[in-house]
Amino acid sequence: MNTKAQAIRLGVDRGVREFRHSMGSSDQWYNVFTGLAALTVLWFQRDSSVEGSGVSLATLTLPSMLGMGMVFGALVGPAGQLSTNREDGTLLRAKAVPNGMIGYLVGRTVQTSLDSLSGLVVVLVPGLFLVNVLAGAGVGGVLGLAAVLALGMASMLPWGAVAGSITKSPGGAMGITMLPMMGIIAISGIFYPITAMPGWLQGVAQVFPVYWAGHGARAALLPDAAAAAELGGTWRITEMVGVLGVWAVVGFVLAPTILRRMARRESGSDMEQRRQAALQRVR
C-alpha cells in the first residue's frame, strides 16, 4: 500500500473514531436542541397551508431544514474544527508526518459527514411524526434527497476549511461563518416560501447554496403540486445542480492552495502564541 492510500485509510479511521467520541460528549446537546427547535417550528406550522401548493407550511419546511442543515454543518463544522486544531497543535503535528495533511483532511471530511447525518436524523425523526414527507416520496425521492444532500455538502465543505484556515481563533471562525449563514438562511425560503421575500432578496438568496439545497430537498420529497410555492412555479433541478456545482468546484480548486499556504506558515512559536491567547480567554 502506497503512503497516500495509507494516509487516506488512517484518515477515514480517525474520522470514524472522532465521530464515535463526539456521540458520547456534551456536543450532542446541540443536536437535541436542534431537534426540539425543529419540532417546535413544525408544530406551529402544521395547520398553516400554502396557497396554491396543496400542502401545509410544515410540509415545505421539513425538507428545507434537511437541505439547510447539511449546508450549514458543512461550512460551520470544518471551520471551527480546523481553527481549533491550529490552536492546539494538531495541524503542526500532521504537517510533520508524511502525507499527514491528507490524512487530517480526510478525517475532518469523514467526521463532518457523519456529524451532519446524525444532525439530520435528529431533525427528521421527530419531524416525521408531524409531517410524513417520506410516505409519498418513494425510493426515487429518498435517493434524490441523498444526492441533493451530498451535493450540498460538497458545495460548502471546502469553504469551511478555507474559513478555518484564515482565522486565528475558533471564535473568529464562528464569526465569519455562523453569523453570515444565519442571515442567508433568513432570506432563503427555509421556514416560509421565498416568494414572500422582496425581489432583490430573492436574487441574493439564489446566489448561495442554502436556497438551492432546500429547493432540491423539497423537489425530491414533495409532490409536483408543491412547486407552486417556488419561484417560477416549477422545480428547477438543472439550476440547482449548476449553482451547487459551481460552489463545489470553485471551493475545491481554491481550498487546497489556501490550506497548503496555511500549513507552510505553521510553526511551533505561532502555535504557542495561540495557545497562550486561548489560556488568557479561559481565565
Side-chain angles (χ1 to χ4, degrees):
M1 183 181 294
N2 62 50
T3 55
K4 287 187 177 180
Q6 176 71 357
I8 292 172
R9 186 188 68 79
L10 292 175
V12 172
D13 182 67
R14 172 179 179 165
V16 173
R17 288 176 181 272
E18 291 188 348
F19 169 71
R20 289 175 178 171
H21 175 73
S22 70
M23 291 298 290
S25 70
S26 59
D27 294 344
Q28 294 310 308
W29 284 109
Y30 171 80
N31 282 338
V32 173
F33 173 78
T34 300
L36 291 175
L39 191 61
T40 301
V41 170
L42 294 175
W43 175 265
F44 284 108
Q45 292 182 341
R46 71 191 189 284
D47 295 325
S48 300
S49 60
V50 179
E51 184 178 357
S53 68
V55 298
S56 68
L57 182 56
T59 302
L60 289 176
T61 298
L62 181 55
S64 303
M65 285 181 175
L66 301 181
M68 177 269 292
M70 184 60 76
V71 171
F72 184 87
L75 176 67
V76 175
Q81 292 167 354
L82 189 60
S83 183
T84 299
N85 291 158
R86 288 184 68 190
E87 195 171 70
D88 65 15
T90 300
L91 276 178
L92 190 62
R93 292 189 293 271
K95 175 186 173 183
V97 178
N99 295 311
M101 286 300 295
I102 294 176
Y104 172 80
L105 293 174
V106 169
R108 289 276 71 81
T109 301
V110 171
Q111 184 187 1
T112 298
S113 301
L114 294 175
D115 283 341
S116 297
L117 287 174
S118 67
L120 294 183
V121 170
V122 170
V123 171
L124 180 62
V125 171
L128 290 178
F129 286 99
L130 293 176
V131 185
N132 192 359
V133 292
L134 299 181
V139 176
V142 174
L143 293 177
L145 175 65
V148 170
L149 295 181
L151 185 56
M153 169 167 282
S155 71
M156 280 288 97
L157 194 60
W159 296 103
V162 168
S165 67
I166 64 176
T167 52
K168 296 182 178 180
S169 68
M174 293 298 100
I176 67 171
T177 55
M178 187 173 291
L179 294 180
M181 184 63 79
M182 291 296 186
I184 293 170
I185 289 171
I187 65 173
S188 294
I190 300 301
F191 300 103
Y192 46 84
I194 193 174
T195 51
M197 303 296 299
W200 69 274
L201 281 179
Q202 295 176 11
V204 172
Q206 291 177 78
V207 174
F208 298 98
V210 175
Y211 167 74
W212 293 106
H215 179 84
R218 293 191 295 272
L221 297 181
L222 301 183
D224 292 339
E230 303 293 332
L231 294 174
T234 185
W235 302 121
R236 296 183 291 165
I237 305 302
T238 302
E239 292 89 337
M240 181 267 297
V241 173
V243 174
L244 294 181
V246 167
W247 275 87
V249 170
V250 174
F252 279 108
V253 169
L254 293 179
T257 301
I258 295 174
L259 288 171
R260 281 195 296 268
R261 290 179 179 176
M262 177 270 295
R264 284 197 297 266
R265 292 196 301 266
E266 284 297 295
S267 66
S269 59
D270 291 337
M271 186 205 73
E272 181 61 21
Q273 289 178 1
R274 288 193 294 269
R275 191 180 73 86
Q276 291 299 328
L279 290 175
Q280 291 296 325
R281 290 196 300 269
V282 172
R283 292 173 185 173

